[in-house]
Amino acid sequence: MTSVGERADQVQWLADRVRAVLFDLTANGWRTEVEVPRMRVIDRELTVDAGGDPVDGSQGDIVSYVQRFTVTVTPA
């Protein structure tokens, strides 16, 4: 997942939201189900969090924040 914005705070906010969607647990289980046909998801892991580019975007730069996730599955 690559978040892209004009300012570092924008991409940090989006990266935080992505982590919340994939990793938040509720009383009933995961906040967001990850569906894989004919498979059962058994683990979710954030494997790379490269962080955001420190450029503030004031000069028209584009800021990106890279995250890589691993979703482990087993046959259903």
Side-chain angles (χ1 to χ4, degrees), residues 7-62:
R7 299 187 325 262
D9 64 316
Q10 290 173 325
V11 295
Q12 178 65 50
W13 176 85
L14 186 53
D16 291 345
R17 299 283 298 163
V18 169
R19 280 190 299 275
V21 166
L22 287 175
F23 295 107
D24 278 0
L25 287 171
T26 68
N28 297 322
W30 295 106
R31 173 179 167 187
T32 305
E33 291 298 322
V34 175
E35 300 211 12
V36 181
R38 299 182 306 278
M39 303 296 255
R40 183 171 59 96
V41 175
I42 58 173
D43 190 36
R44 302 172 185 199
E45 180 182 3
L46 175 60
T47 53
V48 173
D49 189 339
D53 183 343
V55 176
D56 67 7
S58 62
Q59 302 301 317
D61 294 325
I62 299 298

